[in-house]
Amino acid sequence: MPDPSKQLGLHPYGARGPEILIVTWIETAVALVVMGARLYVNTRLLNRIRSDFWWALITLVVSLFGQIALTVSVRWGIGNHSDVLRPDQVQHAIEWSWIGQIVTLLSTGFGKIAIIAFLLRIQEGTHKYKGWFLHFVGWSNMVLNIIQVILILLQCSPTPKLWNNNLPGTCEHRIRTNKAGYFRGSYSALGDLILAIYPIVVFWNLQMSKKLKIGLCLLMSGGVIATACAIVKTVYIELISKTEDRTYVLTPLLLWAYSEMWAILILGSIPPIRPLFIRGFRRLYHPNKTNEFSSFSDRERSFSRGIPLEPLSHVATGGKGGASHFSRSGTMRSESVEKILPWQGGESGEGGGGGEGAGAGVGGGRGADPPVKGIWATTSINVRQGSQKESLDKGMSETRTAAYTNNR
């Protein structure tokens, strides 16, 4: 493929082309940083890479390919006016823009599946029917995206007529493809909205402080931004059928399509890296406590201001109805399972639930601690109630005093 910058005539890169690249590459950089943080959380803090990360990684790879296609299309003239471009530049620009649009369809599908995998991990073992609903939302979006890709490739005969109107043939299915695009775009926006609202429904039923509850809901509802991008992009679908100044009029459609693609990946990756944010805040505002925290194993740290490290199926566990939930101070206290997770039956140890003699597990019972799993806490939650917490605090104080005395 010849380098357009070395061709005779006007340089194809211009008009709104720089705007397209600046906006989308900033989004790309943010996505790379967020995914790097997500990798760190999975490998260093959780010591395990789960399925939602792999789906997010697939989304990132596909999105990067789409971003490269967009960059090539802008280099050929997308964003610039067609009347300052040669016919071959227009053809290459439109060709690469189509490649990029097809890739964004696949990327948004993978991105939704990544978010759903994360939500399913949070509610592991609970909300069985709601889990099926999430699967339906994700895979139905993916199927519609694949159908849309097929319709795009079949709307003209031969297919290269999509970007070269001078070829013999017809594009009699453009109207059908546009109508399908409106439906798919609307359905995609609905899927983004559902994935933004769903966590709110789940967390609002947990008994925790209203401030923490609102914070978690806001953290998980970033998909509303992706919904807005999908709606605006759908409105601009009509620009595809334009035949005059095509390289310029496609600019808003491409901007919003790529913004939706990156928004799904970025906003869907923020909740999984919450432990990294909390750790950073603690080191910033409590630098003198860093060594204190590090002197205890994860299973020995008794309280955290996050929600449980375990999935919801491990949060409210106990013997005969005993369980723990968050109070306004961020600690947990004994209550009935029904008051916390009405859908949760509870996993019991050998003895009764969260009374004075509760064991070290989250729920109470005298059995072994449940395995640490999940994604939320910055310092592990291993709730010890009443005198056990006081004993731990006293031991920590005595240890520091002895160390200070020895140094003197």
Side-chain angles (χ1 to χ4, degrees):
M1 181 180 298
D3 187 352
S5 63
K6 297 180 181 179
Q7 300 291 321
L8 297 176
L10 295 175
H11 196 290
Y13 177 71
R16 299 190 68 181
E19 174 190 348
I20 296 174
L21 292 188
I22 290 173
V23 171
T24 56
W25 275 107
I26 288 177
E27 294 168 342
T28 303
V30 174
L32 289 172
V33 171
V34 171
M35 281 299 296
R38 191 167 183 176
L39 177 63
Y40 177 83
V41 169
N42 277 268
T43 57
R44 300 298 298 274
L45 301 185
L46 303 181
N47 297 319
R48 184 175 181 181
I49 297 180
R50 297 176 182 263
S51 61
D52 60 288
F53 176 82
W54 293 117
W55 282 114
L57 185 61
I58 293 174
T59 305
L60 176 64
V61 172
V62 176
S63 300
L64 287 174
F65 183 78
Q67 183 65 32
I68 292 172
L70 177 65
T71 302
V72 174
S73 70
V74 171
R75 184 169 173 77
W76 278 109
I78 283 293
N80 208 344
H81 293 282
S82 299
D83 58 0
V84 300
L85 303 173
R86 294 188 311 275
D88 65 302
Q89 292 173 335
V90 174
Q91 293 170 17
H92 287 305
I94 299 298
E95 178 184 6
W96 281 100
S97 73
W98 275 118
I99 294 174
Q101 290 179 65
I102 289 174
V103 173
T104 60
L105 290 173
L106 299 177
S107 176
T108 54
F110 286 127
K112 287 183 175 65
I113 293 175
I115 294 174
I116 289 170
F118 175 74
L119 293 175
L120 291 174
R121 180 151 69 89
I122 293 177
Q123 63 173 44
E124 181 180 340
T126 65
H127 295 286
K128 180 178 180 181
Y129 297 106
K130 292 181 180 179
W132 292 350
F133 173 71
L134 288 177
H135 277 298
F136 173 78
V137 170
W139 290 105
S140 61
N141 266 278
M142 193 66 182
V143 169
L144 287 178
N145 289 355
I146 294 174
I147 292 175
Q148 185 67 28
V149 169
I150 296 174
L151 291 176
I152 288 174
L153 296 176
L154 296 180
Q155 64 181 309
C156 290
S157 179
T159 300
K161 191 171 177 60
L162 272 172
W163 54 84
N164 187 358
N165 283 327
N166 296 325
L167 290 177
T170 61
C171 291
E172 57 185 10
H173 299 304
R174 276 179 175 170
I175 296 178
R176 180 189 66 183
T177 303
N178 284 357
K179 290 181 178 179
Y182 282 119
F183 175 77
R184 190 216 63 82
S186 302
Y187 192 82
S188 178
L190 177 62
D192 291 330
L193 184 62
I194 290 174
L195 296 181
I197 295 177
Y198 180 86
I200 298 177
V201 176
V202 173
F203 286 125
W204 208 255
N205 291 329
L206 294 177
Q207 292 193 17
M208 60 179 71
S209 69
K210 183 173 292 186
K211 182 179 179 181
L212 178 60
K213 187 183 298 185
I214 293 175
L216 291 173
C217 290
L218 291 176
L219 184 70
M220 298 292 292
S221 61
V224 174
I225 298 177
T227 303
C229 293
I231 293 174
V232 178
K233 180 199 69 176
T234 303
V235 172
Y236 282 119
I237 285 179
E238 64 174 355
L239 299 177
I240 295 178
S241 59
K242 301 292 184 181
T243 58
E244 297 180 359
D245 204 8
R246 296 176 69 189
T247 54
Y248 184 80
V249 298
L250 285 175
T251 298
L253 174 64
L254 293 174
L255 278 173
W256 286 105
Y258 278 84
S259 294
E260 181 198 10
M261 178 186 75
W262 288 121
I264 290 175
L265 179 59
I266 294 170
L267 297 171
S269 295
I270 290 179
I273 64 174
R274 181 178 180 272
L276 193 59
F277 291 142
I278 303 301
R279 169 176 284 194
F281 289 147
R282 288 199 170 190
R283 289 181 175 178
L284 179 63
Y285 293 105
H286 304 284
N288 296 330
K289 293 186 178 181
T290 301
N291 294 332
E292 176 181 309
F293 282 124
S294 62
S295 64
F296 291 87
S297 67
D298 283 346
R299 296 298 291 165
E300 290 171 333
R301 296 167 186 161
S302 57
F303 288 89
S304 170
R305 291 189 179 275
I307 70 171
L309 186 66
E310 285 79 8
L312 294 184
S313 58
H314 297 278
V315 174
T317 59
K320 300 178 181 179
S324 300
H325 75 81
F326 285 92
S327 67
R328 291 186 180 273
S329 63
T331 61
M332 301 180 75
R333 60 179 183 269
S334 175
E335 290 289 344
S336 66
V337 171
E338 291 79 6
K339 289 184 178 180
I340 308 168
L341 301 176
W343 61 83
Q344 171 65 31
E347 300 174 10
S348 61
E350 294 178 3
E356 288 290 328
V362 172
R366 295 183 179 272
D369 290 347
V372 177
K373 56 192 296 189
I375 34 86
W376 286 103
T378 56
T379 56
S380 254
I381 294 179
N382 186 24
V383 177
R384 301 181 183 277
Q385 301 183 7
S387 61
Q388 290 181 316
K389 178 180 182 299
E390 296 176 0
S391 176
L392 179 60
D393 293 339
K394 181 179 179 181
M396 292 167 58
S397 177
E398 291 174 353
T399 300
R400 291 196 299 270
T401 302
Y404 178 79
T405 303
N406 291 336
N407 291 334
R408 293 291 298 270

